[in-house]
Amino acid sequence: AQSVTQLDSQVPVFEEAPVELRCNYSSSVSVYLFWYVQYPNQGLQLLLKYLSGSTLVKGINGFEAEFNKSQTSFHLRKPSVHISDTAEYFCAVNPNDYKLSFGAGTTVTVRA
Amino acid sequence: DTAVSQTPKYLVTQMGNDKSIKCEQNLGHDTMYWYKQDSKKFLKIMFSYNNKELIINETVPNRFSPKSPDKAHLNLHINSLELGDSAVYFCASSQEGSYGYTFGSGTRLTVV
């Protein structure tokens, strides 16, 4: 079985400051890892994904994540946030094509 | 063109009623899903269909019945609605082997 733990439920951050959202996973098999963003009252949008290859993955809107197999982590980072980055962020794991399992989400609130 | 579209966007109904939510994707994907997002924003898979065949049924009550008339459509019918069914329901699709899901904008169901 596989599961995803997002270590921070809420992250307040000032505009132009860096942000890191932590995600740990547990799985007995190789997995594929994802970060999704949900803006208020909207659906989920894919930020980035790790399938294989380079452990540093770059996504949209200036986000990047690093896959660390030894620590079973896939933390998301952005060096400088904007007000528009205020949203819910979900880490997800997909061991096969038919089931994407999500973490509980991290609420990011960017303040001026 | 919307890639994954759901209708209706909002649905308010009384307990005991039967309702349906429709989903259509124009991406040519072969797998479609229903996810439920509860009031705490937790996302849980309900069903997945591959080429019109049910692949995953995550212990969802029998009152929920998905129907996939073709690869591009996956509808969700709910009988005898209960207060606990109030949630946001998301439809998604993916192409086998791509490991990327595209989500619809959600249907907010409120049972009163």
Side-chain angles (χ1 to χ4, degrees):
Chain A
Q2 54 285 324
S3 66
V4 179
T5 302
Q6 291 184 241
L7 298 165
D8 309 292
S9 60
Q10 300 202 15
V11 174
V13 58
F14 286 106
E15 194 174 19
E16 298 183 9
V19 70
E20 177 180 78
L21 308 184
R22 297 178 294 167
C23 172
N24 284 96
Y25 69 93
S26 64
S27 177
S28 57
V29 298
S30 296
V31 295
Y32 304 104
L33 295 156
F34 305 79
W35 276 99
Y36 282 83
V37 60
Q38 184 178 25
Y39 298 106
N41 298 315
Q42 293 189 29
L44 285 89
Q45 181 181 1
L46 180 66
L47 277 177
L48 47 80
K49 61 184 176 183
Y50 172 79
L51 303 182
S52 65
S54 172
T55 57
L56 184 62
V57 181
K58 292 194 183 298
I60 62 171
N61 301 341
F63 284 93
E64 64 180 31
E66 184 149 21
F67 170 62
N68 187 320
K69 188 174 182 180
S70 62
Q71 297 187 4
T72 60
S73 67
F74 190 54
H75 300 336
L76 180 71
R77 302 186 185 95
K78 184 168 181 177
S80 175
V81 295
H82 304 291
I83 298 287
S84 59
D85 291 322
T86 293
E88 193 79 20
Y89 291 80
F90 294 95
C91 183
V93 61
N94 188 342
N96 59 54
D97 256 334
Y98 305 125
K99 184 175 178 180
L100 190 63
S101 297
F102 288 89
T106 298
T107 304
V108 173
T109 305
V110 182
R111 298 175 178 143
Chain B
D1 266 350
T2 304
V4 179
S5 59
Q6 299 177 226
T7 54
K9 191 170 175 64
Y10 300 96
L11 185 53
V12 181
T13 187
Q14 291 188 327
M15 277 192 337
N17 283 352
D18 303 338
K19 290 294 178 184
S20 291
I21 307 172
K22 295 186 176 182
C23 179
E24 175 181 4
Q25 54 96 2
N26 63 5
L27 298 166
H29 288 168
D30 54 16
T31 308
M32 296 185 72
Y33 313 81
W34 279 109
Y35 276 80
K36 179 180 180 181
Q37 186 174 46
D38 63 23
S39 58
K40 295 184 179 178
K41 305 237 170 156
F42 187 70
L43 282 152
K44 185 170 168 53
I45 189 167
M46 300 173 70
F47 303 102
S48 70
Y49 268 76
N50 177 256
N51 285 315
K52 302 193 301 173
E53 292 197 12
L54 181 66
I55 302 296
I56 288 177
N57 179 342
E58 284 285 306
T59 60
V60 177
N62 291 339
R63 299 182 295 104
F64 291 79
S65 52
K67 292 265 188 326
S68 182
D70 54 57
K71 276 177 30 173
H73 295 84
L74 180 61
N75 304 322
L76 184 65
H77 188 76
I78 315 170
N79 290 326
S80 304
L81 277 154
E82 301 176 356
L83 293 176
D85 298 331
S86 295
V88 181
Y89 292 85
F90 286 100
C91 178
S93 71
S94 70
Q95 181 61 34
E96 191 169 4
S98 71
Y99 295 97
Y101 286 39
T102 302
F103 282 82
S105 58
T107 296
R108 183 175 294 275
L109 172 66
T110 304
V111 182
V112 298

